PDB file of all heavy atoms in Angstrom:
ATOM      1  N   ALA V  32       5.502   6.573 -29.049  1.00 46.00           N
ATOM      2  CA  ALA V  32       4.381   6.838 -29.929  1.00 46.00           C
ATOM      3  C   ALA V  32       3.684   8.051 -29.365  1.00 46.00           C
ATOM      4  O   ALA V  32       4.059   8.573 -28.322  1.00 46.00           O
ATOM      5  CB  ALA V  32       3.445   5.640 -30.007  1.00 46.00           C
ATOM      6  N   HIS V  33       2.657   8.531 -30.040  1.00 46.00           N
ATOM      7  CA  HIS V  33       1.953   9.707 -29.571  1.00 46.00           C
ATOM      8  C   HIS V  33       0.474   9.415 -29.501  1.00 46.00           C
ATOM      9  O   HIS V  33      -0.106   8.810 -30.379  1.00 46.00           O
ATOM     10  CB  HIS V  33       2.205  10.898 -30.500  1.00 46.00           C
ATOM     11  CG  HIS V  33       3.628  11.356 -30.480  1.00 46.00           C
ATOM     12  ND1 HIS V  33       4.114  12.218 -29.536  1.00 46.00           N
ATOM     13  CD2 HIS V  33       4.673  11.024 -31.264  1.00 46.00           C
ATOM     14  CE1 HIS V  33       5.412  12.437 -29.748  1.00 46.00           C
ATOM     15  NE2 HIS V  33       5.776  11.717 -30.787  1.00 46.00           N
ATOM     16  N   ALA V  34      -0.155   9.830 -28.396  1.00 44.00           N
ATOM     17  CA  ALA V  34      -1.599   9.660 -28.217  1.00 44.00           C
ATOM     18  C   ALA V  34      -2.124  10.975 -27.679  1.00 44.00           C
ATOM     19  O   ALA V  34      -1.986  11.273 -26.504  1.00 44.00           O
ATOM     20  CB  ALA V  34      -1.898   8.516 -27.254  1.00 44.00           C
ATOM     21  N   GLY V  35      -2.708  11.784 -28.566  1.00 49.00           N
ATOM     22  CA  GLY V  35      -3.148  13.102 -28.135  1.00 49.00           C
ATOM     23  C   GLY V  35      -1.936  13.936 -27.753  1.00 49.00           C
ATOM     24  O   GLY V  35      -0.944  13.991 -28.465  1.00 49.00           O
ATOM     25  N   THR V  36      -2.009  14.584 -26.612  1.00 61.00           N
ATOM     26  CA  THR V  36      -0.904  15.431 -26.163  1.00 61.00           C
ATOM     27  C   THR V  36       0.081  14.668 -25.294  1.00 61.00           C
ATOM     28  O   THR V  36       1.113  15.211 -24.928  1.00 61.00           O
ATOM     29  CB  THR V  36      -1.453  16.619 -25.355  1.00 61.00           C
ATOM     30  OG1 THR V  36      -2.194  16.127 -24.230  1.00 61.00           O
ATOM     31  CG2 THR V  36      -2.365  17.473 -26.212  1.00 61.00           C
ATOM     32  N   ARG V  37      -0.232  13.418 -24.950  1.00 73.00           N
ATOM     33  CA  ARG V  37       0.680  12.635 -24.123  1.00 73.00           C
ATOM     34  C   ARG V  37       1.652  11.860 -25.005  1.00 73.00           C
ATOM     35  O   ARG V  37       1.315  11.408 -26.102  1.00 73.00           O
ATOM     36  CB  ARG V  37      -0.094  11.652 -23.236  1.00 73.00           C
ATOM     37  CG  ARG V  37      -0.951  12.332 -22.177  1.00 73.00           C
ATOM     38  CD  ARG V  37      -1.487  11.317 -21.191  1.00 73.00           C
ATOM     39  NE  ARG V  37      -0.447  10.785 -20.335  1.00 73.00           N
ATOM     40  CZ  ARG V  37      -0.077  11.339 -19.189  1.00 73.00           C
ATOM     41  NH1 ARG V  37      -0.645  12.448 -18.761  1.00 73.00           N
ATOM     42  NH2 ARG V  37       0.862  10.791 -18.454  1.00 73.00           N
ATOM     43  N   ARG V  38       2.854  11.700 -24.510  1.00 94.00           N
ATOM     44  CA  ARG V  38       3.852  10.887 -25.190  1.00 94.00           C
ATOM     45  C   ARG V  38       3.836   9.502 -24.567  1.00 94.00           C
ATOM     46  O   ARG V  38       3.745   9.373 -23.352  1.00 94.00           O
ATOM     47  CB  ARG V  38       5.210  11.546 -25.086  1.00 94.00           C
ATOM     48  CG  ARG V  38       5.293  12.855 -25.886  1.00 94.00           C
ATOM     49  CD  ARG V  38       6.431  13.738 -25.454  1.00 94.00           C
ATOM     50  NE  ARG V  38       6.199  14.292 -24.123  1.00 94.00           N
ATOM     51  CZ  ARG V  38       7.023  15.152 -23.532  1.00 94.00           C
ATOM     52  NH1 ARG V  38       8.126  15.535 -24.144  1.00 94.00           N
ATOM     53  NH2 ARG V  38       6.750  15.626 -22.336  1.00 94.00           N
ATOM     54  N   VAL V  39       3.960   8.471 -25.399  1.00 97.00           N
ATOM     55  CA  VAL V  39       3.734   7.095 -24.960  1.00 97.00           C
ATOM     56  C   VAL V  39       4.943   6.226 -25.258  1.00 97.00           C
ATOM     57  O   VAL V  39       5.514   6.296 -26.353  1.00 97.00           O
ATOM     58  CB  VAL V  39       2.479   6.497 -25.634  1.00 97.00           C
ATOM     59  CG1 VAL V  39       2.258   5.057 -25.153  1.00 97.00           C
ATOM     60  CG2 VAL V  39       1.253   7.347 -25.341  1.00 97.00           C
ATOM     61  N   LEU V  40       5.325   5.411 -24.281  1.00 98.00           N
ATOM     62  CA  LEU V  40       6.339   4.380 -24.456  1.00 98.00           C
ATOM     63  C   LEU V  40       5.684   3.022 -24.223  1.00 98.00           C
ATOM     64  O   LEU V  40       4.904   2.866 -23.282  1.00 98.00           O
ATOM     65  CB  LEU V  40       7.495   4.569 -23.479  1.00 98.00           C
ATOM     66  CG  LEU V  40       8.421   5.759 -23.706  1.00 98.00           C
ATOM     67  CD1 LEU V  40       9.327   5.948 -22.496  1.00 98.00           C
ATOM     68  CD2 LEU V  40       9.263   5.541 -24.956  1.00 98.00           C
ATOM     69  N   HIS V  41       6.020   2.037 -25.051  1.00 98.00           N
ATOM     70  CA  HIS V  41       5.507   0.682 -24.896  1.00 98.00           C
ATOM     71  C   HIS V  41       6.629  -0.228 -24.411  1.00 98.00           C
ATOM     72  O   HIS V  41       7.753  -0.175 -24.921  1.00 98.00           O
ATOM     73  CB  HIS V  41       4.939   0.165 -26.222  1.00 98.00           C
ATOM     74  CG  HIS V  41       3.648   0.813 -26.602  1.00 98.00           C
ATOM     75  ND1 HIS V  41       2.421   0.301 -26.240  1.00 98.00           N
ATOM     76  CD2 HIS V  41       3.392   1.951 -27.293  1.00 98.00           C
ATOM     77  CE1 HIS V  41       1.455   1.090 -26.698  1.00 98.00           C
ATOM     78  NE2 HIS V  41       2.021   2.105 -27.339  1.00 98.00           N
ATOM     79  N   VAL V  42       6.318  -1.056 -23.411  1.00 98.00           N
ATOM     80  CA  VAL V  42       7.273  -2.019 -22.870  1.00 98.00           C
ATOM     81  C   VAL V  42       6.689  -3.409 -23.061  1.00 98.00           C
ATOM     82  O   VAL V  42       5.535  -3.665 -22.701  1.00 98.00           O
ATOM     83  CB  VAL V  42       7.542  -1.753 -21.374  1.00 98.00           C
ATOM     84  CG1 VAL V  42       8.513  -2.771 -20.810  1.00 98.00           C
ATOM     85  CG2 VAL V  42       8.058  -0.330 -21.160  1.00 98.00           C
ATOM     86  N   ARG V  43       7.484  -4.329 -23.614  1.00 98.00           N
ATOM     87  CA  ARG V  43       7.027  -5.696 -23.863  1.00 98.00           C
ATOM     88  C   ARG V  43       7.985  -6.676 -23.216  1.00 98.00           C
ATOM     89  O   ARG V  43       9.111  -6.314 -22.870  1.00 98.00           O
ATOM     90  CB  ARG V  43       6.925  -5.935 -25.371  1.00 98.00           C
ATOM     91  CG  ARG V  43       5.855  -5.054 -26.049  1.00 98.00           C
ATOM     92  CD  ARG V  43       5.802  -5.253 -27.548  1.00 98.00           C
ATOM     93  NE  ARG V  43       4.676  -4.517 -28.137  1.00 98.00           N
ATOM     94  CZ  ARG V  43       4.708  -3.244 -28.488  1.00 98.00           C
ATOM     95  NH1 ARG V  43       5.823  -2.545 -28.300  1.00 98.00           N
ATOM     96  NH2 ARG V  43       3.652  -2.656 -29.021  1.00 98.00           N
ATOM     97  N   PRO V  44       7.561  -7.926 -23.004  1.00 98.00           N
ATOM     98  CA  PRO V  44       8.446  -8.913 -22.386  1.00 98.00           C
ATOM     99  C   PRO V  44       9.817  -8.955 -23.058  1.00 98.00           C
ATOM    100  O   PRO V  44       9.927  -8.975 -24.288  1.00 98.00           O
ATOM    101  CB  PRO V  44       7.680 -10.226 -22.567  1.00 98.00           C
ATOM    102  CG  PRO V  44       6.245  -9.802 -22.530  1.00 98.00           C
ATOM    103  CD  PRO V  44       6.218  -8.493 -23.270  1.00 98.00           C
ATOM    104  N   GLY V  45      10.844  -8.919 -22.257  1.00 97.00           N
ATOM    105  CA  GLY V  45      12.209  -8.808 -22.746  1.00 97.00           C
ATOM    106  C   GLY V  45      12.744  -7.405 -22.630  1.00 97.00           C
ATOM    107  O   GLY V  45      13.970  -7.198 -22.630  1.00 97.00           O
ATOM    108  N   ASP V  46      11.856  -6.411 -22.537  1.00 98.00           N
ATOM    109  CA  ASP V  46      12.256  -5.022 -22.303  1.00 98.00           C
ATOM    110  C   ASP V  46      12.378  -4.771 -20.797  1.00 98.00           C
ATOM    111  O   ASP V  46      11.982  -5.587 -19.972  1.00 98.00           O
ATOM    112  CB  ASP V  46      11.214  -4.049 -22.863  1.00 98.00           C
ATOM    113  CG  ASP V  46      11.003  -4.187 -24.356  1.00 98.00           C
ATOM    114  OD1 ASP V  46      11.927  -4.665 -25.036  1.00 98.00           O
ATOM    115  OD2 ASP V  46       9.912  -3.824 -24.833  1.00 98.00           O
ATOM    116  N   SER V  47      12.874  -3.615 -20.462  1.00 98.00           N
ATOM    117  CA  SER V  47      12.985  -3.186 -19.072  1.00 98.00           C
ATOM    118  C   SER V  47      12.029  -2.032 -18.807  1.00 98.00           C
ATOM    119  O   SER V  47      12.048  -1.028 -19.521  1.00 98.00           O
ATOM    120  CB  SER V  47      14.418  -2.738 -18.772  1.00 98.00           C
ATOM    121  OG  SER V  47      14.475  -1.992 -17.572  1.00 98.00           O
ATOM    122  N   VAL V  48      11.218  -2.179 -17.754  1.00 98.00           N
ATOM    123  CA  VAL V  48      10.338  -1.081 -17.348  1.00 98.00           C
ATOM    124  C   VAL V  48      11.181   0.095 -16.879  1.00 98.00           C
ATOM    125  O   VAL V  48      10.882   1.259 -17.185  1.00 98.00           O
ATOM    126  CB  VAL V  48       9.367  -1.537 -16.241  1.00 98.00           C
ATOM    127  CG1 VAL V  48       8.485  -0.372 -15.797  1.00 98.00           C
ATOM    128  CG2 VAL V  48       8.509  -2.699 -16.715  1.00 98.00           C
ATOM    129  N   GLN V  49      12.264  -0.176 -16.163  1.00 98.00           N
ATOM    130  CA  GLN V  49      13.119   0.909 -15.685  1.00 98.00           C
ATOM    131  C   GLN V  49      13.740   1.683 -16.842  1.00 98.00           C
ATOM    132  O   GLN V  49      13.857   2.915 -16.781  1.00 98.00           O
ATOM    133  CB  GLN V  49      14.228   0.357 -14.784  1.00 98.00           C
ATOM    134  CG  GLN V  49      15.109   1.439 -14.159  1.00 98.00           C
ATOM    135  CD  GLN V  49      14.327   2.368 -13.243  1.00 98.00           C
ATOM    136  OE1 GLN V  49      13.675   1.910 -12.313  1.00 98.00           O
ATOM    137  NE2 GLN V  49      14.384   3.675 -13.493  1.00 98.00           N
ATOM    138  N   ALA V  50      14.099   0.995 -17.916  1.00 98.00           N
ATOM    139  CA  ALA V  50      14.656   1.692 -19.073  1.00 98.00           C
ATOM    140  C   ALA V  50      13.643   2.668 -19.664  1.00 98.00           C
ATOM    141  O   ALA V  50      14.001   3.765 -20.108  1.00 98.00           O
ATOM    142  CB  ALA V  50      15.102   0.681 -20.130  1.00 98.00           C
ATOM    143  N   ALA V  51      12.365   2.259 -19.668  1.00 98.00           N
ATOM    144  CA  ALA V  51      11.324   3.159 -20.162  1.00 98.00           C
ATOM    145  C   ALA V  51      11.186   4.371 -19.243  1.00 98.00           C
ATOM    146  O   ALA V  51      11.035   5.510 -19.715  1.00 98.00           O
ATOM    147  CB  ALA V  51       9.999   2.412 -20.278  1.00 98.00           C
ATOM    148  N   VAL V  52      11.217   4.148 -17.923  1.00 98.00           N
ATOM    149  CA  VAL V  52      11.159   5.268 -16.974  1.00 98.00           C
ATOM    150  C   VAL V  52      12.331   6.213 -17.213  1.00 98.00           C
ATOM    151  O   VAL V  52      12.170   7.442 -17.249  1.00 98.00           O
ATOM    152  CB  VAL V  52      11.164   4.751 -15.518  1.00 98.00           C
ATOM    153  CG1 VAL V  52      11.315   5.903 -14.534  1.00 98.00           C
ATOM    154  CG2 VAL V  52       9.891   3.963 -15.217  1.00 98.00           C
ATOM    155  N   ASP V  53      13.506   5.660 -17.414  1.00 98.00           N
ATOM    156  CA  ASP V  53      14.693   6.489 -17.633  1.00 98.00           C
ATOM    157  C   ASP V  53      14.582   7.311 -18.921  1.00 98.00           C
ATOM    158  O   ASP V  53      15.162   8.393 -19.029  1.00 98.00           O
ATOM    159  CB  ASP V  53      15.940   5.616 -17.702  1.00 98.00           C
ATOM    160  CG  ASP V  53      16.269   4.935 -16.377  1.00 98.00           C
ATOM    161  OD1 ASP V  53      15.744   5.387 -15.336  1.00 98.00           O
ATOM    162  OD2 ASP V  53      17.024   3.950 -16.396  1.00 98.00           O
ATOM    163  N   ALA V  54      13.812   6.798 -19.885  1.00 98.00           N
ATOM    164  CA  ALA V  54      13.673   7.489 -21.170  1.00 98.00           C
ATOM    165  C   ALA V  54      12.690   8.651 -21.123  1.00 98.00           C
ATOM    166  O   ALA V  54      12.650   9.475 -22.048  1.00 98.00           O
ATOM    167  CB  ALA V  54      13.237   6.491 -22.242  1.00 98.00           C
ATOM    168  N   VAL V  55      11.903   8.737 -20.052  1.00 97.00           N
ATOM    169  CA  VAL V  55      10.942   9.830 -19.911  1.00 97.00           C
ATOM    170  C   VAL V  55      11.697  11.141 -19.717  1.00 97.00           C
ATOM    171  O   VAL V  55      12.600  11.232 -18.881  1.00 97.00           O
ATOM    172  CB  VAL V  55       9.989   9.552 -18.728  1.00 97.00           C
ATOM    173  CG1 VAL V  55       9.180  10.777 -18.369  1.00 97.00           C
ATOM    174  CG2 VAL V  55       9.069   8.379 -19.063  1.00 97.00           C
ATOM    175  N   THR V  56      11.303  12.166 -20.461  1.00 93.00           N
ATOM    176  CA  THR V  56      12.059  13.426 -20.458  1.00 93.00           C
ATOM    177  C   THR V  56      11.198  14.620 -20.073  1.00 93.00           C
ATOM    178  O   THR V  56      11.234  15.653 -20.726  1.00 93.00           O
ATOM    179  CB  THR V  56      12.676  13.674 -21.840  1.00 93.00           C
ATOM    180  OG1 THR V  56      11.624  13.674 -22.829  1.00 93.00           O
ATOM    181  CG2 THR V  56      13.705  12.630 -22.183  1.00 93.00           C
ATOM    182  N   GLY V  57      10.399  14.456 -19.046  1.00 88.00           N
ATOM    183  CA  GLY V  57       9.559  15.562 -18.608  1.00 88.00           C
ATOM    184  C   GLY V  57       8.178  15.077 -18.237  1.00 88.00           C
ATOM    185  O   GLY V  57       7.887  13.879 -18.281  1.00 88.00           O
ATOM    186  N   PRO V  58       7.286  16.002 -17.872  1.00 93.00           N
ATOM    187  CA  PRO V  58       5.952  15.599 -17.425  1.00 93.00           C
ATOM    188  C   PRO V  58       5.060  15.161 -18.580  1.00 93.00           C
ATOM    189  O   PRO V  58       5.283  15.518 -19.739  1.00 93.00           O
ATOM    190  CB  PRO V  58       5.410  16.879 -16.779  1.00 93.00           C
ATOM    191  CG  PRO V  58       6.133  17.981 -17.469  1.00 93.00           C
ATOM    192  CD  PRO V  58       7.494  17.451 -17.775  1.00 93.00           C
ATOM    193  N   GLY V  59       4.043  14.356 -18.230  1.00 92.00           N
ATOM    194  CA  GLY V  59       2.991  14.040 -19.181  1.00 92.00           C
ATOM    195  C   GLY V  59       3.234  12.827 -20.046  1.00 92.00           C
ATOM    196  O   GLY V  59       2.655  12.712 -21.130  1.00 92.00           O
ATOM    197  N   TRP V  60       4.071  11.906 -19.614  1.00 97.00           N
ATOM    198  CA  TRP V  60       4.319  10.686 -20.378  1.00 97.00           C
ATOM    199  C   TRP V  60       3.440   9.549 -19.869  1.00 97.00           C
ATOM    200  O   TRP V  60       3.028   9.522 -18.710  1.00 97.00           O
ATOM    201  CB  TRP V  60       5.777  10.258 -20.265  1.00 97.00           C
ATOM    202  CG  TRP V  60       6.727  11.082 -21.078  1.00 97.00           C
ATOM    203  CD1 TRP V  60       7.126  12.366 -20.847  1.00 97.00           C
ATOM    204  CD2 TRP V  60       7.410  10.663 -22.262  1.00 97.00           C
ATOM    205  NE1 TRP V  60       8.010  12.783 -21.794  1.00 97.00           N
ATOM    206  CE2 TRP V  60       8.215  11.764 -22.685  1.00 97.00           C
ATOM    207  CE3 TRP V  60       7.439   9.485 -23.000  1.00 97.00           C
ATOM    208  CZ2 TRP V  60       9.030  11.698 -23.819  1.00 97.00           C
ATOM    209  CZ3 TRP V  60       8.260   9.418 -24.127  1.00 97.00           C
ATOM    210  CH2 TRP V  60       9.029  10.516 -24.531  1.00 97.00           C
ATOM    211  N   THR V  61       3.192   8.571 -20.763  1.00 98.00           N
ATOM    212  CA  THR V  61       2.535   7.323 -20.398  1.00 98.00           C
ATOM    213  C   THR V  61       3.429   6.157 -20.790  1.00 98.00           C
ATOM    214  O   THR V  61       3.939   6.122 -21.921  1.00 98.00           O
ATOM    215  CB  THR V  61       1.169   7.169 -21.099  1.00 98.00           C
ATOM    216  OG1 THR V  61       0.282   8.177 -20.624  1.00 98.00           O
ATOM    217  CG2 THR V  61       0.553   5.804 -20.811  1.00 98.00           C
ATOM    218  N   ILE V  62       3.621   5.237 -19.862  1.00 98.00           N
ATOM    219  CA  ILE V  62       4.329   3.980 -20.151  1.00 98.00           C
ATOM    220  C   ILE V  62       3.299   2.860 -20.124  1.00 98.00           C
ATOM    221  O   ILE V  62       2.642   2.633 -19.092  1.00 98.00           O
ATOM    222  CB  ILE V  62       5.454   3.714 -19.135  1.00 98.00           C
ATOM    223  CG1 ILE V  62       6.514   4.815 -19.217  1.00 98.00           C
ATOM    224  CG2 ILE V  62       6.074   2.345 -19.368  1.00 98.00           C
ATOM    225  CD1 ILE V  62       7.590   4.715 -18.139  1.00 98.00           C
TER     226      ILE V  62
END
Side-chain angles (χ1 to χ4, degrees):
H33 294 276
T36 59
R37 293 190 70 88
R38 292 161 291 183
V39 180
L40 290 169
H41 288 269
V42 179
R43 295 177 174 85
D46 300 336
S47 164
V48 178
Q49 184 62 55
V52 171
D53 294 342
V55 168
T56 57
W60 285 72
T61 295
I62 297 174

